[in-house]
Amino acid sequence: MSRLLSFACRAFPRDYRARRSGELVDTALLVANGSRLRAAREALSLVVAGTRERVDRESRRPLRDGLWLLAVILAAVNLAVALVGAAAERAIPLFATTPFTPYPYRPGWWWIAFAVAAAGIVLGLLIGRRWIALGSALANFGLLAYAATSPFHVRGSQLLVRLFFATSYPLGSQWLAPAAVLALATAAAPLRRPALARLPLVVGIVAALVLLAHATKPWGDFLFLSWPLVVLVLLTIAFGSFLPRLTVLTVGLVLAAAPSGVTLFAGRSGDRAVTWFVTVFCILGAFGTFARLARRRLT
Amino acid sequence: MEIRRSTYFVLAALLDGPLHGYAIIGRAAELSDGEVRLSTGTLFGALDRLVESGLVEAGEEEKVEGRVRRSYTLTHDGHAALFAEASRLERAALVVQARMAKVATG
């Protein structure tokens, strides 16, 4: 019974738990008075109170805290795109592999630089060194701007990647938006202390994104991320006016993804209406909630 | 400031002197004729808010017979807030009782 109640106390934030869990568990044990049913009721009440405490604290966080979360998530997606892209040439159709594709396969300098810059952003954010994170984010932006503005910079096999997988890889001007949002979030995010304990989680997210991208298409594709983004926008509309980090995260991700949505809307005929609707819905949903949150903060 | 029913009885429970969590639950149930049955989560949520707003003061944590306890005391502001709420409820009850008496006498 005591174990169940201690477990229920995990709903409270860590520091609160450290201060109060002894008192909470002892009081709940006295209330339960040996009855399993009452102990379950007490455990539920602790979970509800713990969740309320977390939401209450979350609602009082400054808006800037959301920028760190935004920067880390965008950096993880950026790294996954770079890793999948660097290996994408393996998926080039066999008839096109000569005379461009080197054999044995080696990723080109651009992909290597992109992957290094992407890894630098993640590392800089997690060890709390802004100059590493921001320097890498600016290099990342420069590389994507180079790819977007110099269509023939990529020679040989990278040109084939561009030709075959144009919508999947960061070689168009629409990819400048996530790079710019990532650089701005990295510049403004509060980097107070190292968060290396989160490294396994971020590596896990990157690995999961790489696997999912390969599961979608043999050469990897990140279009599947549009659906989690829609879910995030729905959650933001529902809870964003009292969860500032969630709202800032969603606004940033929508800003980053909107140009890709518009590009898809312009390029595809089959699902044009759906893409148009989803893009406009995401923009209105995210910015509308942000406006509500800002008004609540100001009044 | 209107006080929630459960918070009202938590404050009322502390009128007789400092009490720890479990004793507050028991006293609140007693004072409300069993109507207010606080769970641990609800009680500590209310106590946190009351401590934050300065109506209740939390004492140091102590171990009594192997159990962790902390006593809570009603502050001067807490007394004032409880009295104001009791007066407000009394006035509201008097309005209805006077009206009902008028209706009953025709």
Side-chain angles (χ1 to χ4, degrees), chain A residues 220-244:
Chain A
D221 192 301
F222 287 88
L223 207 59
F224 70 90
L225 287 176
S226 53
W227 293 110
L229 182 62
V230 172
V231 172
L232 203 64
V233 171
L234 288 171
L235 287 173
T236 304
I237 291 169
F239 308 111
S241 54
F242 52 90
L243 296 177

Side-chain angles (χ1 to χ4, degrees), chain A residues 142-203:
Chain A
L143 283 163
L144 292 173
Y146 179 58
T149 53
S150 319
F152 298 106
H153 76 289
V154 279
R155 292 202 309 262
S157 52
Q158 273 110 56
L159 181 62
L160 292 177
V161 171
R162 186 189 176 93
L163 289 174
F164 282 99
F165 316 129
T167 58
S168 307
Y169 291 103
L171 301 166
S173 57
Q174 76 272 21
W175 289 89
L176 287 175
V181 172
L182 178 53
L184 288 171
T186 306
L191 302 183
R192 291 184 199 104
R193 55 193 156 84
L196 269 176
R198 302 224 168 101
L199 184 63
L201 177 67
V202 175
V203 170

Side-chain angles (χ1 to χ4, degrees), chain A residues 49 55 67 76 102:
Chain A
V55 170
L67 291 174

Side-chain angles (χ1 to χ4, degrees), chain B residues 38-54:
Chain B
L38 295 162
S39 64
T40 311
T42 313
L43 170 72
F44 282 95
L47 283 174
D48 285 342
R49 282 192 298 277
L50 291 169
V51 168
E52 202 176 314
S53 54

Side-chain angles (χ1 to χ4, degrees), chain A residues 67-81 118 121-122 125 140 177-186 206 209 225 249 251-257:
Chain A
L67 291 174
W68 189 85
L69 196 62
L70 171 66
V72 171
I73 288 178
L74 268 181
V77 174
N78 192 55
L79 179 58
V81 170
I121 306 169
V122 172
L125 288 169
N140 184 67
V181 172
L182 178 53
L184 288 171
T186 306
V206 173
L209 287 171
L225 287 176
L249 172 70
V251 166
L253 291 179
V254 165
L255 272 175

Side-chain angles (χ1 to χ4, degrees), chain A residues 1 4-5 28-45, chain B residues 22 37 39-40:
Chain A
M1 215 176 273
L4 170 74
L5 293 167
L29 277 171
L30 285 168
V31 174
N33 197 22
S35 156
R36 279 174 188 276
L37 194 68
R38 273 191 226 154
R41 179 180 160 250
E42 290 304 303
L44 185 67
S45 86
Chain B
Y22 180 61
R37 290 189 175 277
S39 64
T40 311

Side-chain angles (χ1 to χ4, degrees), chain B residues 36-99:
Chain B
V36 174
R37 290 189 175 277
L38 295 162
S39 64
T40 311
T42 313
L43 170 72
F44 282 95
L47 283 174
D48 285 342
R49 282 192 298 277
L50 291 169
V51 168
E52 202 176 314
S53 54
L55 302 184
V56 166
E57 198 174 71
E60 287 299 311
E61 197 176 271
E62 52 186 343
K63 272 208 162 189
V64 180
E65 293 166 10
R67 293 194 183 280
V68 181
R69 283 183 181 176
R70 192 193 303 269
S71 289
Y72 295 88
T73 313
L74 202 60
T75 62
H76 179 74
D77 286 353
H79 269 105
L82 183 60
F83 182 75
E85 181 65 7
S87 305
R88 191 186 70 80
L89 291 173
E90 192 183 14
R91 280 197 305 275
L94 281 175
V95 168
V96 175
Q97 280 167 357
R99 184 81 194 130

